[in-house]
């Protein structure tokens, strides 16, 4: 194993593999997408939250089309139906379990903090079954219990589009995250039921009112798996200092997203930026709110990352930049995986 296996807050690799009929196998080293098993193993990627996300059918907007001199405000796609989302969720979750079965022990879907620790120790890729946007779950929460038994251990209440539980932020720059209403009654029930089952709640993509609703209800540490510091990049998707303080206060974590528009001060989509843009967000949270409260949440295979990173093979270079910034070994241990293990020990039952 590497000294600092990087356990990561968010990837969309399952969706990438699913949407491309002739994507190379996950087990073959290629230059397509951001993650495959050989590239991950050679780069110290210890695993992470594998998102199951249901996209809108036949819906495509290009953020570039909404760019103006003063910023952008990309409209959200319409809500989707539960049956459609549940069918798609089954398909992506099945893909994850089939990858595990075909991996000859190199990838494991983890359901406990002990399993996660063992995988990190042995260099086995640890995958958490995570759902991004709870559309697949009915307001009575029947599907939640079934999905939990299948291995679901983390749930983002919303991707940005609205659903029966709440609504998320639009892709808007500049903007605060305070863009709409908080959780619905069903959303509040969902938080309590996740607490009871031991499913981690992800506040990434939620608007600010929804975030505070989670904060007021949950008995687990507050987590945003792939959101950055709003003070450094004032896009609606990022976390304000008050939100970051609440995350730290709850002993939770924020995962730094490598999306260029969430790193850059100008919110722009240009990819020609240095790895120090990622370090800047890590250091801001570590120095202002404590190194116990920052982790990495790449958004690999779901976003546009800096050219200087390229894909998962750029992680050793990122680790070097974090070292060069002055983070010591005990701090790097926490940022790369230790904080995640702590939060999941405190959250999962
Ligand atoms: Zn996301």
């Amino acid at each position: 194993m590497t000294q600092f296996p990087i356990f990561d807050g968010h990837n969309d690799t399952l969706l990438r593999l699913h949407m491309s009929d002739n994507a190379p196998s996950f087990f073959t080293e290629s230059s397509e997408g951001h993650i495959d098993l050989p590239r991950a193993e050679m780069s110290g990627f210890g695993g992470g939250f594998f998102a199951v996300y249901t996209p809108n059918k036949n819906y495509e907007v290009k953020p570039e089309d909404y760019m103006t001199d003063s910023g952008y405000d990309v409209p959200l796609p319409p809500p989707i139906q539960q049956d459609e989302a549940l069918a798609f969720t089954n398909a992506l979750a099945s893909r994850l379990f089939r990858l595990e079965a075909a991996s000859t022990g190199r990838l494991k879907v983890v359901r406990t903090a002990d399993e996660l620790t063992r995988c990190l120790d042995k260099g086995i890729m640890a995958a958490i079954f995570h759902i991004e946007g709870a559309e697949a779950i009915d307001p009575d929460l029947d599907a939640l219990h079934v999905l939990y038994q299948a291995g679901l251990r983390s749930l983002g209440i919303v991707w940005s589009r609205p659903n029966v539980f709440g609504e998320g932020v639009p892709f808007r720059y500049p903007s605060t995250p305070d863009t709409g209403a908080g959780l619905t009654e069903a959303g509040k029930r969902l938080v309590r039921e996740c607490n009871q089952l031991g499913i981690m709640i992800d506040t990434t993509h939620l608007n600010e009112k929804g975030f505070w609703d989670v904060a007021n209800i949950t008995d687990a540490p507050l987590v945003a798996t792939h959101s950055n510091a709003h003070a450094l990049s004032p896009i609606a998707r990022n976390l304000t200092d008050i939100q970051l303080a609440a995350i730290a206060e709850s002993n939770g974590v924020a995962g730094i997203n490598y999306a260029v528009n969430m790193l850059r001060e100008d919110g722009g989509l240009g990819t020609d930026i240095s790895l120090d843009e990622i370090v800047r967000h890590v250091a801001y949270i570590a120095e202002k709110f404590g190194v116990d409260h920052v982790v990495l949440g790449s958004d690999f295979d779901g976003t546009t990352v800096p050219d200087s990173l390229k894909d998962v093979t750029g992680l050793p270079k990122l680790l070097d930049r974090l070292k060069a910034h002055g983070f010591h070994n005990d701090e790097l241990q926490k940022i790369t995986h230790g904080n995640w293990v702590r939060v999941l020990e405190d959250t999962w039952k």
Side-chain angles (χ1 to χ4, degrees), residues 4-11 44-45 47-49 223-228 253-258 263 275 278-279 281-283 285 291 293-300 309 315-316 318-319 322 327 331-340:
F4 303 113
I6 291 180
F7 192 74
D8 181 74
H10 189 91
N11 74 65
F45 181 83
F49 291 72
V223 172
T225 57
H226 56 303
S227 297
N228 298 345
V253 283
I256 299 306
N257 193 320
Y258 308 155
L263 293 166
L275 291 175
I278 300 174
V279 176
H281 283 263
V282 174
I285 297 177
V291 73
H293 308 298
V294 61
V295 287
L296 301 171
S298 67
D299 218 342
F300 276 143
L309 186 73
L315 290 178
L318 175 59
L319 205 52
L322 289 165
F327 286 113
E331 296 170 320
L332 292 171
Q333 189 272 348
K334 290 176 177 185
I335 295 165
T336 55
H337 61 280
N339 289 337
W340 269 130

Side-chain angles (χ1 to χ4, degrees), residues 168-286:
V169 289
F171 293 83
R172 184 185 292 166
Y173 176 95
S175 171
T176 74
D178 190 11
T179 59
L183 298 186
T184 64
E185 284 310 309
K188 293 174 184 174
R189 278 204 306 279
L190 178 63
V191 174
R192 292 189 194 98
E193 203 85 344
C194 284
N195 279 171
Q196 208 154 51
L197 286 166
I199 295 174
M200 193 193 88
I201 295 155
D202 182 7
T203 63
T204 281
H205 287 282
L206 262 182
N207 64 33
E208 194 169 348
K209 287 194 176 69
F211 176 93
W212 293 118
D213 282 337
V214 173
N216 287 331
I217 296 167
T218 188
D219 61 14
L222 285 172
V223 172
T225 57
H226 56 303
S227 297
N228 298 345
H230 192 271
L232 302 185
S233 173
I235 187 170
R237 274 279 283 101
N238 285 343
L239 299 158
T240 65
D241 280 2
I242 305 171
Q243 289 177 297
L244 287 166
I247 287 172
E249 168 87 1
S250 75
N251 208 21
V253 283
I256 299 306
N257 193 320
Y258 308 155
V260 289
N261 61 328
M262 293 171 62
L263 293 166
R264 295 173 62 115
E265 196 173 355
D266 65 3
L269 296 171
T271 55
D272 182 21
I273 58 173
S274 123
L275 291 175
D276 290 332
E277 287 291 307
I278 300 174
V279 176
R280 198 165 72 95
H281 283 263
V282 174
Y284 180 81
I285 297 177

